[in-house]
Amino acid sequence: MAGDAVAFVRSLLAVFAVLPGLLAGFVVTLVTLSRRRGLNATLAVWGRLGTAAAGISFDIQGADHLESARPAVFVFNHQSTVDPLMITALIRHDFVGIAKKEMRRNVFFGPAFAWAGVVFIERFHHARALEQLKPAVVALAAGYSVVVAPEGTRGIDGSIGRFKKGAFHLAMQAGRPVVPVVLLNSRAVMPRGGRLIRAATVRVVVHEPIATDAWSE
């Protein structure tokens, strides 16, 4: 019972850590007149405070690849409700996320994700989803990375689901590499259907960038 109470407090603190992140971003934007610097402040503060509050630490293999090929399309396996927070803490700066359109309607995270420049797509309409990815292509051309879970939804048992193709079309169009980020045990923090965040050391493997120059449709 005490463990659940601690997990409940951790969960609240991790979620509400986005608020000081938004405040930091707003202040930095006002001072520097740069929305991108403001967004980077938001991402840095939420990633750092949110994971600390949740009791999440990382054991990272291949950490150099998080910076070596930017801008890049970072793809990750989606196993936990808390993956967006963990990915934010790992990628840290100068990136645009891609999320399902339903997230835009979330009362709490919808406005925050919109401020952060998240690209919302319709997962079940292939042609429309490709059209909606155009802002992400523009972001890559402007020097910003893109982060996406190609499975499109969280897995249930830890196995990898079928990939949707949008992330790979995006990398090809922009001529940028794909960097796979594997979260080996993120389900331990909060699996699909879970309601409380559990403290854990998440093992991460960041693979070498994969060039897309020779890819074809």
Side-chain angles (χ1 to χ4, degrees):
M1 196 69 177
D4 284 347
V6 171
F8 178 73
V9 172
R10 286 188 183 281
S11 302
L12 283 181
L13 290 176
V15 169
F16 283 103
V18 75
L19 296 178
L22 290 172
L23 178 59
F26 180 69
V27 171
V28 170
T29 299
L30 283 181
V31 172
T32 66
L33 300 180
S34 168
R35 185 170 183 269
R36 173 45 58 181
R37 289 185 180 180
L39 289 177
N40 281 341
T42 294
L43 296 170
V45 171
W46 184 48
R48 188 178 301 116
L49 289 184
T51 51
I56 299 170
S57 58
F58 296 104
D59 177 8
I60 308 174
Q61 177 182 333
D64 290 350
H65 302 317
L66 290 171
E67 296 288 343
S68 64
R70 294 197 184 211
V73 177
F74 291 92
V75 294
F76 69 96
N77 57 317
H78 196 4
Q79 301 296 318
S80 170
T81 308
V82 194
D83 286 346
L85 171 60
M86 290 188 281
I87 287 295
T88 297
L90 290 167
I91 309 298
R92 296 193 304 275
H93 64 89
D94 293 317
F95 72 89
V96 171
I98 295 176
K100 58 187 179 182
K101 193 173 183 180
E102 299 93 303
M103 280 300 300
R104 183 64 182 89
R105 297 194 293 269
N106 184 289
V107 175
F108 192 77
F109 283 109
F113 280 16
W115 151 252
V118 168
V119 176
F120 298 98
I121 62 170
E122 297 181 55
R123 294 178 295 164
F124 305 112
H125 194 298
H126 178 69
R128 199 172 297 163
L130 290 180
E131 179 69 20
Q132 291 165 339
L133 281 174
K134 285 184 177 179
V137 176
V138 173
L140 279 168
Y144 304 114
S145 295
V146 171
V147 180
V148 58
E151 294 164 283
T153 190
R154 287 163 292 171
I156 295 175
D157 61 359
S159 59
I160 302 295
R162 185 185 179 116
F163 284 179
K164 298 183 183 301
K165 300 175 183 177
F168 309 102
H169 282 289
L170 175 61
M172 287 170 57
Q173 288 179 47
R176 300 307 306 168
V178 171
V179 179
V181 180
V182 183
L183 305 173
L184 291 172
N185 61 322
S186 66
R187 290 176 68 249
V189 177
M190 181 188 262
R192 181 174 178 174
R195 295 184 179 276
L196 298 177
I197 295 175
R198 306 288 179 180
T201 297
V202 176
R203 292 181 295 127
V204 182
V205 178
V206 186
H207 289 274
E208 292 185 8
I210 302 170
T212 61
D213 309 70
W215 287 10
S216 68
E217 293 292 333

